Amino acid sequence: MPSVRIRDGESVDSAMRRFKRAVEKAGIPKELRKREFYQKGSTIRKRKAAAARKRHLKKLFRDTNGSPVQSREKK
């Protein structure tokens, strides 16, 4: 659990900002959203596979300068 010590003369607002940043960096909100509802194992696997496909297509798209299908060069 992230904690923040208030410095001498520091306002509560700036300490809250530092605390919120520490919580975000620790990944707590992401974990809360992930655990909000129960998901079956098959659903999790499908979601991971879809994300992997999306990442792969995105990488292909980026590597081929905007075209997911590589064009043939003329000789």
Side-chain angles (χ1 to χ4, degrees):
M1 180 76 176
S3 63
V4 173
R5 293 193 185 269
I6 298 179
R7 299 174 185 145
D8 291 337
E10 183 181 23
S11 69
V12 176
D13 291 335
S14 63
M16 280 297 293
R17 252 185 269 123
R18 285 194 305 126
F19 178 73
K20 286 181 181 179
R21 200 173 314 129
V23 167
E24 186 68 38
K25 190 173 182 180
I28 293 173
K30 184 178 180 181
E31 185 71 21
L32 280 174
R33 283 191 298 274
K34 178 181 161 187
R35 294 176 182 258
E36 190 171 8
F37 301 103
Y38 176 76
Q39 292 181 343
K40 294 183 351 186
S42 60
T43 307
I44 293 171
R45 284 191 297 276
K46 281 182 186 178
R47 191 180 310 270
K48 282 186 178 183
R53 273 194 304 274
K54 184 177 179 181
R55 279 194 311 273
H56 181 69
L57 285 174
K58 192 174 183 180
K59 184 178 184 296
L60 280 177
F61 192 77
R62 215 175 326 131
D63 290 347
T64 58
N65 295 326
S67 175
V69 179
Q70 292 181 353
S71 61
R72 297 180 185 183
E73 293 181 21
K74 294 184 180 180
K75 292 183 179 181

Coordinates of all heavy atoms in Angstrom, one line a residue:
M1 N 0.8 -1.2 0.0 CA 0.0 0.0 0.0 C 0.9 1.2 0.0 O 1.7 1.4 0.9 CB -0.9 0.0 1.2 CG -1.8 1.1 1.4 SD -3.2 0.9 0.2 CE -4.2 2.3 0.6
P2 N 0.7 2.1 -1.0 CA 1.5 3.3 -1.0 C 1.2 4.3 0.2 O 0.1 4.3 0.7 CB 1.1 4.0 -2.3 CG 0.4 3.0 -3.1 CD -0.2 2.0 -2.1
S3 N 2.3 4.9 0.6 CA 2.1 5.9 1.7 C 2.9 7.1 1.4 O 3.9 7.1 0.6 CB 2.5 5.3 3.0 OG 3.9 5.0 3.0
V4 N 2.5 8.3 2.0 CA 3.2 9.5 1.7 C 3.3 10.2 3.0 O 2.4 10.4 3.8 CB 2.3 10.4 0.7 CG1 2.9 11.8 0.6 CG2 2.2 9.7 -0.6
R5 N 4.5 10.7 3.3 CA 4.8 11.5 4.5 C 4.6 13.0 4.1 O 5.2 13.4 3.1 CB 6.2 11.2 5.1 CG 6.3 9.8 5.6 CD 7.6 9.7 6.4 NE 7.8 8.4 6.8 CZ 7.4 7.9 8.0 NH1 6.7 8.6 8.8 NH2 7.7 6.6 8.3
I6 N 3.9 13.7 4.9 CA 3.7 15.1 4.7 C 5.0 15.8 5.1 O 5.4 15.7 6.3 CB 2.5 15.6 5.4 CG1 1.2 14.9 4.8 CG2 2.3 17.1 5.2 CD1 -0.1 15.4 5.5
R7 N 5.5 16.6 4.3 CA 6.7 17.4 4.6 C 6.4 18.6 5.4 O 5.2 19.1 5.4 CB 7.4 17.8 3.3 CG 7.8 16.6 2.4 CD 8.4 17.0 1.1 NE 8.6 15.9 0.2 CZ 8.5 15.9 -1.1 NH1 8.1 16.9 -1.7 NH2 8.8 14.8 -1.7
D8 N 7.4 19.2 6.0 CA 7.2 20.5 6.8 C 6.7 21.6 5.8 O 7.3 21.8 4.8 CB 8.5 20.9 7.4 CG 8.9 20.0 8.6 OD1 8.0 19.3 9.1 OD2 10.1 19.9 8.9
G9 N 5.6 22.2 6.1 CA 5.1 23.3 5.3 C 4.4 22.9 4.1 O 4.0 23.7 3.3
E10 N 4.2 21.6 3.9 CA 3.5 21.1 2.6 C 2.0 21.2 2.8 O 1.5 20.8 3.9 CB 4.0 19.7 2.3 CG 3.4 19.2 1.0 CD 3.8 17.8 0.7 OE1 4.2 17.0 1.7 OE2 3.8 17.4 -0.4
S11 N 1.3 21.6 1.8 CA -0.1 21.7 1.9 C -0.7 20.3 1.7 O -0.1 19.4 1.1 CB -0.7 22.6 0.8 OG -0.5 22.0 -0.5
V12 N -1.9 20.1 2.2 CA -2.6 18.8 2.1 C -2.9 18.5 0.6 O -2.8 17.4 0.2 CB -3.9 18.9 2.9 CG1 -4.7 17.6 2.7 CG2 -3.6 19.1 4.3
D13 N -3.2 19.5 -0.2 CA -3.4 19.3 -1.6 C -2.3 18.7 -2.3 O -2.4 17.7 -3.1 CB -3.8 20.6 -2.3 CG -5.2 21.1 -1.9 OD1 -6.0 20.3 -1.4 OD2 -5.4 22.4 -2.0
S14 N -1.1 19.2 -2.1 CA 0.1 18.7 -2.8 C 0.4 17.3 -2.3 O 0.9 16.4 -3.0 CB 1.3 19.6 -2.6 OG 1.7 19.7 -1.3
A15 N 0.2 17.0 -1.0 CA 0.4 15.7 -0.5 C -0.6 14.7 -1.1 O -0.2 13.5 -1.4 CB 0.3 15.7 1.1
M16 N -1.8 15.1 -1.3 CA -2.8 14.3 -1.9 C -2.4 14.0 -3.4 O -2.6 12.8 -3.8 CB -4.2 15.0 -1.9 CG -5.0 14.8 -0.6 SD -5.4 13.1 -0.2 CE -6.5 12.8 -1.4
R17 N -1.9 15.0 -4.1 CA -1.5 14.8 -5.4 C -0.4 13.7 -5.5 O -0.4 12.8 -6.3 CB -1.0 16.1 -6.0 CG -1.9 16.6 -7.1 CD -1.4 17.9 -7.8 NE -1.8 19.0 -7.0 CZ -1.0 19.9 -6.5 NH1 0.3 19.9 -6.6 NH2 -1.5 20.9 -5.8
R18 N 0.6 13.8 -4.5 CA 1.7 12.8 -4.5 C 1.1 11.4 -4.2 O 1.6 10.5 -4.7 CB 2.7 13.2 -3.4 CG 3.6 14.4 -3.9 CD 4.8 14.6 -3.0 NE 4.5 14.7 -1.6 CZ 5.1 14.0 -0.6 NH1 5.9 13.1 -0.9 NH2 4.7 14.2 0.6
F19 N 0.2 11.4 -3.3 CA -0.4 10.1 -2.9 C -1.1 9.5 -4.1 O -1.0 8.3 -4.4 CB -1.4 10.2 -1.7 CG -2.0 9.0 -1.3 CD1 -1.3 8.0 -0.7 CD2 -3.4 8.7 -1.6 CE1 -1.9 6.8 -0.3 CE2 -4.0 7.6 -1.3 CZ -3.3 6.6 -0.6
K20 N -1.9 10.3 -4.8 CA -2.7 9.8 -6.0 C -1.7 9.2 -7.0 O -1.9 8.2 -7.6 CB -3.6 10.9 -6.6 CG -4.8 11.1 -5.7 CD -5.6 12.2 -6.4 CE -6.8 12.5 -5.5 NZ -7.7 13.6 -6.2
R21 N -0.6 10.0 -7.2 CA 0.4 9.5 -8.2 C 1.0 8.2 -7.8 O 1.3 7.3 -8.6 CB 1.5 10.6 -8.3 CG 2.3 10.5 -9.6 CD 3.2 11.7 -9.8 NE 2.7 13.0 -9.5 CZ 3.2 13.9 -8.7 NH1 4.3 13.7 -8.1 NH2 2.6 15.1 -8.5
A22 N 1.3 8.1 -6.5 CA 1.9 6.8 -5.9 C 0.9 5.7 -6.1 O 1.3 4.5 -6.5 CB 2.3 7.0 -4.5
V23 N -0.3 5.9 -5.9 CA -1.4 4.8 -6.0 C -1.5 4.4 -7.5 O -1.5 3.2 -7.8 CB -2.7 5.3 -5.5 CG1 -3.9 4.4 -5.9 CG2 -2.7 5.4 -4.0
E24 N -1.5 5.4 -8.4 CA -1.5 5.1 -9.8 C -0.3 4.3 -10.3 O -0.4 3.4 -11.0 CB -1.7 6.4 -10.6 CG -1.9 6.2 -12.1 CD -3.2 5.6 -12.4 OE1 -4.2 6.0 -11.7 OE2 -3.3 4.8 -13.3
K25 N 0.9 4.7 -9.8 CA 2.1 4.1 -10.1 C 2.1 2.6 -9.7 O 2.7 1.7 -10.3 CB 3.3 4.8 -9.6 CG 4.6 4.4 -10.1 CD 5.7 5.3 -9.6 CE 7.1 4.8 -10.2 NZ 8.2 5.7 -9.7
A26 N 1.5 2.3 -8.5 CA 1.4 1.0 -8.0 C 0.5 0.1 -8.7 O 0.4 -1.1 -8.5 CB 1.1 1.0 -6.5
G27 N -0.4 0.7 -9.6 CA -1.3 -0.1 -10.4 C -2.6 -0.5 -9.6 O -3.3 -1.4 -10.1
I28 N -2.9 0.2 -8.6 CA -4.1 -0.2 -7.8 C -5.4 0.0 -8.5 O -6.3 -0.9 -8.5 CB -4.1 0.5 -6.4 CG1 -2.9 -0.1 -5.6 CG2 -5.4 0.3 -5.6 CD1 -2.6 0.7 -4.3
P29 N -5.6 1.2 -9.2 CA -6.9 1.3 -9.9 C -7.1 0.3 -11.0 O -8.2 -0.2 -11.2 CB -6.8 2.7 -10.5 CG -5.8 3.4 -9.6 CD -4.8 2.4 -9.2
K30 N -6.0 0.0 -11.7 CA -6.1 -1.0 -12.8 C -6.5 -2.4 -12.2 O -7.3 -3.1 -12.7 CB -4.7 -1.1 -13.5 CG -4.7 -2.1 -14.6 CD -3.4 -2.0 -15.3 CE -3.3 -3.0 -16.5 NZ -2.0 -3.0 -17.2
E31 N -5.9 -2.7 -11.0 CA -6.2 -4.0 -10.4 C -7.6 -4.0 -9.9 O -8.3 -5.1 -10.0 CB -5.2 -4.2 -9.2 CG -5.3 -5.6 -8.5 CD -4.8 -6.7 -9.4 OE1 -4.0 -6.5 -10.3 OE2 -5.3 -7.8 -9.1
L32 N -8.1 -2.9 -9.4 CA -9.5 -2.8 -8.9 C -10.5 -3.1 -10.1 O -11.5 -3.8 -9.9 CB -9.8 -1.5 -8.3 CG -9.3 -1.3 -6.8 CD1 -9.5 0.1 -6.4 CD2 -10.1 -2.3 -5.9
R33 N -10.2 -2.4 -11.2 CA -11.1 -2.6 -12.4 C -11.1 -4.1 -12.8 O -12.1 -4.6 -13.2 CB -10.7 -1.7 -13.5 CG -11.1 -0.2 -13.3 CD -10.9 0.6 -14.5 NE -9.6 0.7 -15.0 CZ -8.7 1.6 -14.5 NH1 -9.1 2.5 -13.6 NH2 -7.5 1.6 -15.0
K34 N -9.9 -4.7 -12.8 CA -9.7 -6.0 -13.2 C -10.5 -7.0 -12.3 O -11.1 -8.0 -12.8 CB -8.2 -6.4 -13.2 CG -7.9 -7.8 -13.6 CD -6.4 -8.1 -13.5 CE -6.1 -9.5 -13.4 NZ -4.7 -9.7 -13.1
R35 N -10.6 -6.7 -11.0 CA -11.2 -7.6 -10.1 C -12.7 -7.2 -9.7 O -13.3 -7.8 -8.9 CB -10.4 -7.7 -8.8 CG -9.1 -8.3 -8.9 CD -8.3 -8.2 -7.7 NE -7.0 -8.8 -7.8 CZ -6.6 -10.0 -7.4 NH1 -7.5 -10.8 -6.8 NH2 -5.4 -10.5 -7.6
E36 N -13.2 -6.2 -10.4 CA -14.5 -5.7 -10.1 C -15.6 -6.8 -10.3 O -16.5 -7.0 -9.5 CB -14.8 -4.5 -11.0 CG -16.1 -3.8 -10.6 CD -16.3 -2.5 -11.3 OE1 -15.5 -2.2 -12.3 OE2 -17.2 -1.8 -11.0
F37 N -15.4 -7.6 -11.4 CA -16.4 -8.7 -11.7 C -15.6 -10.0 -11.9 O -14.5 -9.9 -12.5 CB -17.2 -8.4 -12.9 CG -18.0 -7.1 -12.8 CD1 -17.6 -6.0 -13.5 CD2 -19.1 -7.1 -12.1 CE1 -18.3 -4.8 -13.4 CE2 -19.9 -5.9 -12.0 CZ -19.5 -4.8 -12.6
Y38 N -16.2 -11.1 -11.6 CA -15.5 -12.4 -11.8 C -15.5 -12.7 -13.3 O -16.6 -12.5 -14.0 CB -16.2 -13.5 -11.1 CG -15.6 -14.8 -11.4 CD1 -14.4 -15.2 -10.8 CD2 -16.3 -15.7 -12.3 CE1 -13.9 -16.5 -11.1 CE2 -15.7 -16.9 -12.6 CZ -14.5 -17.3 -12.0 OH -14.0 -18.5 -12.3
Q39 N -14.4 -13.2 -13.8 CA -14.4 -13.6 -15.2 C -13.9 -15.0 -15.3 O -13.0 -15.4 -14.6 CB -13.4 -12.7 -16.0 CG -13.8 -11.3 -16.2 CD -12.8 -10.5 -17.0 OE1 -11.6 -10.9 -17.1 NE2 -13.2 -9.4 -17.4
K40 N -14.6 -15.8 -16.1 CA -14.2 -17.2 -16.3 C -12.8 -17.3 -17.0 O -12.4 -16.3 -17.6 CB -15.2 -17.9 -17.2 CG -16.5 -18.0 -16.6 CD -17.6 -18.8 -17.4 CE -17.2 -19.2 -18.8 NZ -18.3 -19.8 -19.6
G41 N -12.1 -18.4 -16.8 CA -10.8 -18.6 -17.3 C -10.8 -18.5 -18.9 O -9.9 -17.9 -19.5
S42 N -11.9 -19.1 -19.5 CA -11.9 -19.0 -20.9 C -12.1 -17.6 -21.5 O -11.5 -17.2 -22.5 CB -13.1 -19.9 -21.4 OG -14.3 -19.4 -20.9
T43 N -12.8 -16.8 -20.7 CA -13.0 -15.4 -21.1 C -11.7 -14.6 -21.0 O -11.4 -13.8 -21.9 CB -14.1 -14.7 -20.2 OG1 -15.2 -15.5 -20.2 CG2 -14.4 -13.3 -20.7
I44 N -10.9 -14.9 -20.0 CA -9.6 -14.2 -19.8 C -8.7 -14.6 -21.0 O -8.0 -13.8 -21.5 CB -9.0 -14.6 -18.5 CG1 -9.9 -14.0 -17.3 CG2 -7.6 -14.1 -18.3 CD1 -9.5 -14.4 -15.9
R45 N -8.7 -15.9 -21.3 CA -7.8 -16.4 -22.4 C -8.2 -15.8 -23.7 O -7.3 -15.3 -24.5 CB -7.8 -17.9 -22.5 CG -7.0 -18.6 -21.4 CD -6.9 -20.1 -21.7 NE -8.1 -20.8 -21.7 CZ -8.7 -21.2 -20.6 NH1 -8.2 -21.1 -19.4 NH2 -9.9 -21.9 -20.7
K46 N -9.5 -15.7 -24.0 CA -10.0 -15.0 -25.2 C -9.6 -13.6 -25.3 O -9.1 -13.1 -26.3 CB -11.5 -15.1 -25.3 CG -12.0 -16.5 -25.8 CD -13.5 -16.4 -25.9 CE -14.1 -17.8 -26.2 NZ -15.6 -17.7 -26.3
R47 N -9.7 -12.9 -24.2 CA -9.3 -11.5 -24.1 C -7.8 -11.3 -24.4 O -7.4 -10.4 -25.1 CB -9.8 -10.9 -22.8 CG -9.7 -9.4 -22.7 CD -10.1 -8.9 -21.3 NE -11.4 -9.4 -20.9 CZ -12.6 -8.9 -21.2 NH1 -12.6 -7.8 -21.9 NH2 -13.7 -9.4 -20.7
K48 N -7.0 -12.1 -23.8 CA -5.6 -12.1 -23.9 C -5.2 -12.4 -25.4 O -4.3 -11.7 -26.0 CB -4.9 -13.0 -23.0 CG -4.7 -12.5 -21.6 CD -3.9 -13.5 -20.8 CE -3.8 -13.0 -19.3 NZ -2.9 -13.8 -18.5
A49 N -5.8 -13.4 -26.0 CA -5.5 -13.7 -27.4 C -5.9 -12.6 -28.3 O -5.2 -12.2 -29.3 CB -6.3 -15.0 -27.8
A50 N -7.1 -11.9 -28.1 CA -7.5 -10.8 -28.9 C -6.5 -9.7 -28.8 O -6.2 -9.0 -29.8 CB -8.9 -10.4 -28.5
A51 N -6.0 -9.4 -27.6 CA -5.1 -8.3 -27.3 C -3.8 -8.6 -28.1 O -3.2 -7.7 -28.6 CB -4.9 -8.1 -25.9
A52 N -3.4 -9.9 -28.0 CA -2.1 -10.2 -28.7 C -2.3 -10.1 -30.2 O -1.3 -9.6 -30.9 CB -1.7 -11.7 -28.4
R53 N -3.4 -10.5 -30.8 CA -3.7 -10.3 -32.2 C -3.6 -8.8 -32.6 O -3.0 -8.4 -33.6 CB -5.0 -10.9 -32.6 CG -5.0 -12.3 -33.0 CD -6.3 -12.7 -33.7 NE -7.5 -12.5 -32.9 CZ -8.0 -13.3 -32.0 NH1 -7.4 -14.4 -31.7 NH2 -9.0 -12.9 -31.3
K54 N -4.3 -8.0 -31.7 CA -4.3 -6.5 -32.0 C -2.9 -5.9 -32.0 O -2.5 -5.1 -32.8 CB -5.2 -5.9 -31.0 CG -5.4 -4.4 -31.2 CD -6.3 -3.8 -30.2 CE -6.5 -2.3 -30.4 NZ -7.4 -1.7 -29.4
R55 N -2.1 -6.4 -31.0 CA -0.7 -5.9 -30.9 C 0.1 -6.3 -32.1 O 0.9 -5.5 -32.7 CB 0.0 -6.4 -29.6 CG -0.3 -5.6 -28.4 CD 0.6 -6.0 -27.3 NE 0.8 -7.4 -27.1 CZ 0.0 -8.2 -26.3 NH1 -1.0 -7.7 -25.7 NH2 0.3 -9.5 -26.2
H56 N -0.1 -7.5 -32.5 CA 0.7 -8.0 -33.7 C 0.3 -7.2 -35.0 O 1.2 -6.8 -35.7 CB 0.4 -9.5 -33.9 CG 1.1 -10.1 -35.0 ND1 2.5 -10.3 -35.1 CD2 0.6 -10.5 -36.2 CE1 2.8 -10.8 -36.2 NE2 1.7 -11.0 -37.0
L57 N -1.0 -7.0 -35.2 CA -1.5 -6.3 -36.4 C -1.0 -4.8 -36.3 O -0.6 -4.3 -37.3 CB -3.0 -6.3 -36.5 CG -3.6 -7.6 -37.0 CD1 -5.1 -7.6 -36.9 CD2 -3.1 -7.9 -38.4
K58 N -1.0 -4.3 -35.1 CA -0.5 -2.9 -35.0 C 1.0 -2.8 -35.3 O 1.4 -1.9 -36.0 CB -0.7 -2.4 -33.5 CG -0.6 -1.0 -33.3 CD -1.0 -0.6 -31.8 CE -0.9 0.8 -31.6 NZ -1.3 1.2 -30.2
K59 N 1.8 -3.8 -34.9 CA 3.2 -3.8 -35.2 C 3.4 -4.0 -36.7 O 4.2 -3.3 -37.3 CB 3.9 -5.0 -34.4 CG 5.4 -5.0 -34.6 CD 6.0 -6.2 -33.8 CE 7.4 -6.2 -33.8 NZ 8.0 -6.5 -35.2
L60 N 2.6 -4.9 -37.3 CA 2.8 -5.1 -38.8 C 2.4 -3.8 -39.5 O 3.1 -3.4 -40.4 CB 1.8 -6.2 -39.2 CG 2.2 -7.6 -39.1 CD1 1.1 -8.5 -39.5 CD2 3.5 -7.9 -39.8
F61 N 1.4 -3.1 -39.1 CA 0.9 -1.9 -39.7 C 2.0 -0.8 -39.6 O 2.3 -0.1 -40.5 CB -0.4 -1.4 -39.0 CG -1.1 -0.3 -39.7 CD1 -1.8 -0.6 -40.9 CD2 -1.0 1.0 -39.3 CE1 -2.5 0.4 -41.5 CE2 -1.7 2.0 -40.0 CZ -2.4 1.7 -41.1
R62 N 2.7 -0.8 -38.4 CA 3.7 0.2 -38.2 C 4.9 -0.1 -39.0 O 5.6 0.8 -39.6 CB 4.1 0.2 -36.7 CG 4.4 1.6 -36.2 CD 4.6 1.6 -34.7 NE 3.8 0.7 -34.0 CZ 4.2 -0.2 -33.0 NH1 5.5 -0.2 -32.7 NH2 3.4 -1.0 -32.5
D63 N 5.3 -1.4 -39.1 CA 6.5 -1.8 -39.8 C 6.4 -1.7 -41.3 O 7.4 -1.5 -42.0 CB 6.9 -3.2 -39.4 CG 7.4 -3.4 -38.0 OD1 7.6 -2.3 -37.3 OD2 7.4 -4.5 -37.5
T64 N 5.2 -1.7 -41.8 CA 5.0 -1.7 -43.3 C 4.6 -0.3 -43.7 O 4.0 -0.2 -44.8 CB 4.0 -2.8 -43.7 OG1 2.8 -2.6 -43.1 CG2 4.6 -4.1 -43.5
N65 N 4.8 0.7 -42.9 CA 4.5 2.1 -43.3 C 3.0 2.3 -43.7 O 2.7 2.9 -44.7 CB 5.4 2.6 -44.5 CG 6.8 2.6 -44.0 OD1 7.1 2.9 -42.9 ND2 7.7 2.3 -44.9
G66 N 2.1 1.8 -42.9 CA 0.7 2.1 -43.1 C -0.1 1.1 -43.8 O -1.3 1.2 -43.9
S67 N 0.5 0.0 -44.3 CA -0.3 -1.0 -45.0 C 0.0 -2.3 -44.3 O 1.1 -2.8 -44.2 CB 0.2 -1.1 -46.4 OG -0.4 -2.2 -47.1
P68 N -1.1 -2.9 -43.8 CA -0.9 -4.2 -43.1 C -0.5 -5.3 -44.0 O 0.1 -6.3 -43.6 CB -2.3 -4.5 -42.5 CG -3.3 -3.7 -43.3 CD -2.5 -2.5 -43.8
V69 N -0.7 -5.2 -45.3 CA -0.3 -6.2 -46.3 C 0.9 -5.6 -47.0 O 0.9 -4.5 -47.6 CB -1.4 -6.5 -47.4 CG1 -1.0 -7.5 -48.4 CG2 -2.7 -6.9 -46.7
Q70 N 2.0 -6.4 -47.0 CA 3.2 -6.0 -47.7 C 3.0 -5.9 -49.2 O 2.5 -6.8 -49.8 CB 4.4 -6.9 -47.3 CG 4.7 -6.8 -45.9 CD 5.9 -7.7 -45.5 OE1 6.4 -8.5 -46.4 NE2 6.4 -7.6 -44.3
S71 N 3.5 -4.8 -49.8 CA 3.3 -4.7 -51.2 C 4.6 -5.3 -51.9 O 5.7 -5.3 -51.3 CB 3.2 -3.2 -51.6 OG 4.4 -2.5 -51.2
R72 N 4.4 -5.8 -53.1 CA 5.5 -6.4 -53.8 C 6.3 -5.3 -54.6 O 5.7 -4.4 -55.2 CB 5.0 -7.4 -54.8 CG 4.3 -8.6 -54.1 CD 3.9 -9.6 -55.2 NE 3.1 -10.6 -54.5 CZ 2.6 -11.6 -55.1 NH1 2.8 -11.8 -56.4 NH2 1.9 -12.5 -54.5
E73 N 7.6 -5.4 -54.5 CA 8.4 -4.4 -55.2 C 8.5 -4.9 -56.7 O 8.7 -6.1 -57.0 CB 9.8 -4.3 -54.6 CG 9.7 -3.8 -53.2 CD 11.1 -3.6 -52.6 OE1 12.1 -3.6 -53.4 OE2 11.2 -3.6 -51.4
K74 N 8.5 -3.9 -57.6 CA 8.7 -4.2 -59.0 C 10.1 -4.3 -59.3 O 10.9 -3.6 -58.8 CB 8.0 -3.2 -59.9 CG 6.5 -3.1 -59.8 CD 5.9 -2.1 -60.7 CE 4.4 -2.1 -60.6 NZ 3.8 -1.1 -61.4
K75 N 10.5 -5.2 -60.2 CA 11.9 -5.4 -60.6 C 12.2 -4.6 -61.8 O 11.6 -4.3 -62.6 CB 12.2 -6.9 -60.9 CG 12.1 -7.7 -59.6 CD 12.4 -9.2 -59.9 CE 12.4 -10.0 -58.6 NZ 12.7 -11.4 -58.9

